[in-house]
Amino acid sequence: MDTTQLLKGVLDLAVLAVLDGEDGYGYDVVRRLRAAGLQDVGDASVYGTLRRLYSAGHLTSYVVPSAEGPHRKYYGLNVSGRSQLEISTKTWHGFADTMTALLQQNAEVAS
């Protein structure tokens, strides 16, 4: 199964979930997603998702100077982002439960 297609469908949710615990800048979000097991996530995809979620009004942003290079733009969830995370989480659980039931049903028929 091509996990990149699955990832495209859930990247917004994954980014919101990562930012729910702690604000982060672009590469930090990428690193945290990969550490959570999403090794196939691309840098450009995450940066685009952050911009899209910010434009949709789900994220706040602020710039922090960095002693190690250019300033970093941090993103965090706002009220709209937390609401979107809650809605998307419910949708994900419903979808995952449906797929689990379907796969179990097929496994039982095959046995």
Side-chain angles (χ1 to χ4, degrees):
M1 175 177 282
D2 184 6
T3 58
T4 57
Q5 291 301 314
L6 290 172
L7 188 55
K8 282 182 184 180
V10 298
L11 190 54
D12 285 10
L13 175 57
V15 168
L16 290 170
V18 163
L19 291 175
D20 187 40
E22 179 183 2
D23 293 356
Y25 57 92
Y27 188 71
D28 177 53
V29 173
V30 171
R31 184 185 52 74
R32 288 159 55 188
L33 289 168
R34 289 178 180 160
L38 300 176
Q39 286 86 9
D40 293 337
V41 69
D43 296 12
S45 295
V46 172
Y47 285 100
T49 299
L50 287 166
R51 284 191 299 274
R52 188 175 60 259
L53 290 170
Y54 178 77
S55 294
H58 300 312
L59 301 178
T60 60
S61 72
Y62 54 94
V63 176
V64 174
S66 172
E68 302 170 5
H71 298 324
R72 294 183 174 151
K73 186 174 187 177
Y74 278 75
Y75 293 92
L77 293 186
N78 57 23
V79 173
S80 176
R82 291 190 196 289
S83 176
Q84 186 62 45
L85 175 59
E86 184 179 330
I87 291 166
S88 295
T89 298
K90 288 178 184 175
T91 301
W92 170 257
H93 284 299
F95 180 77
D97 290 347
T98 299
M99 287 303 301
T100 299
L102 179 63
L103 293 171
Q104 286 175 343
Q105 181 182 28
N106 284 344
E108 290 168 7
V109 170
S111 329

